[in-house]
Structure formats: structure tokens, C-alpha cells
Amino acid sequence: MAFFSWDTKYSVNVPDLDKEHKILLEMLNELHDAMKQGKGKENIERLVNNSASYAKSHLSHEERLMEQCGYPGFQEHKKQHEFFVQKVNEFKNDVNQNNYKLSSELLKFLKDWFVNHITMVDSKYSTSINNCKVK
Ligand SMILES: [Fe+2]
């Protein structure tokens, strides 16, 4: 069974953003499997670096849409992204500095953040973004 499976309750009703969320979820699964199978440092490092940069570009995409669409919760939402990016950077540094045997607690943190963020924070921008012509 996959570590993390997509569920329709995770949909934010913006197809492009759902697609990106699904890719992130797959990346997290890949990371989980690589760790479980005891894949080497290079492999884990590559997966962590790739997912961190994909996550950052996804968050910027969301921020761009929220800002362009005049979403009222933009600033608050952006703060949550900043917190997450900081966590991801710490995580990336740990891995790059040879502490590459990531703990299951850390993966759990990423998964929980992702689920909570999508269902409680991202879901609020759906109407603003879908009503907006900028897309
Ligand atoms: Fe978000």
C-alpha cells in the first residue's frame, strides 16, 4: 500500500493545482519508498532536492494565482508557505549534510502538513481563483 494515496477530499477544485498536489504526493511516496528500501545517499539526496524545488515552484504558483485574483486571505496563506519552505530547507540541509536516513517522523510531518494545508487552507481559495479571469 502506498504511504500516501490521493483522495477526492484533497481536491481544491482548481485542476492545475490538483495536478501539482498529486505530483507532490507521488514525490513523497517515492521518498518514503526509497528510505524504506534503504536506497543510498545519492538517491535520497536527489529525491529530496527534486521534491523541495518542485514544492517551492508549486507554492509560488499558488501565490501568484492568489495575488492576481485578489484573494483576501493571500497574506495569511503566504505566511504558511513561508513556514513550510523554512522546514523544507532545514530538512534539505540535514539530508545534504549526510544525515540522509530520514526519520519516519519527518515524513509524517510532511504528510500531515500537506493534508492539513490542502484541506484547511488551500480549499479556501477555490472560489476566488475559479472566479478569476487571470488564469
Ligand atoms: Fe497553499
Side-chain angles (χ1 to χ4, degrees):
M1 204 180 85
F3 169 63
F4 195 0
S5 307
W6 179 259
D7 191 291
T8 47
K9 70 175 181 241
Y10 300 145
S11 172
V12 294
N13 295 310
V14 181
D16 281 353
L17 297 177
D18 276 347
K19 203 156 69 186
E20 293 177 9
H21 286 152
K22 284 179 187 165
I23 291 174
L24 282 167
L25 187 147
E26 279 317 315
M27 288 179 133
L28 210 52
N29 275 331
E30 240 185 292
L31 194 53
H32 173 263
D33 293 348
M35 283 168 53
K36 216 171 144 191
Q37 292 157 16
K39 291 268 173 79
K41 178 173 161 53
E42 268 174 39
N43 229 298
I44 306 270
E45 245 180 35
R46 183 179 49 83
L47 290 175
V48 167
N49 291 336
N50 286 350
S51 19
S53 66
Y54 189 80
K56 285 178 193 171
S57 73
H58 161 69
L59 298 180
S60 307
H61 184 201
E62 274 191 355
E63 288 170 12
R64 215 164 46 241
L65 287 175
M66 288 189 279
E67 195 174 22
Q68 288 172 345
C69 297
Y71 171 60
F74 171 60
Q75 289 301 337
E76 205 40 53
H77 196 133
K78 198 167 170 236
K79 275 189 205 146
Q80 298 239 5
H81 285 178
E82 281 159 6
F83 166 80
F84 184 69
V85 167
Q86 197 189 321
K87 280 277 168 208
V88 168
N89 284 340
E90 285 170 21
F91 174 28
K92 219 174 85 170
N93 287 343
D94 270 6
V95 173
N96 292 343
Q97 282 164 18
N98 67 50
N99 187 8
Y100 66 96
K101 292 205 189 320
L102 306 172
S103 64
S104 50
E105 291 96 89
L106 184 63
L107 275 172
K108 195 177 175 306
F109 163 83
L110 293 174
K111 181 180 171 179
D112 290 348
W113 191 90
F114 190 73
V115 167
N116 288 333
H117 185 76
I118 289 185
T119 55
M120 296 179 353
V121 181
D122 284 349
S123 56
K124 295 184 186 157
Y125 60 45
S126 310
T127 313
S128 288
I129 292 182
N130 282 323
N131 287 341
C132 160
K133 306 263 180 286
V134 191
K135 287 189 296 165

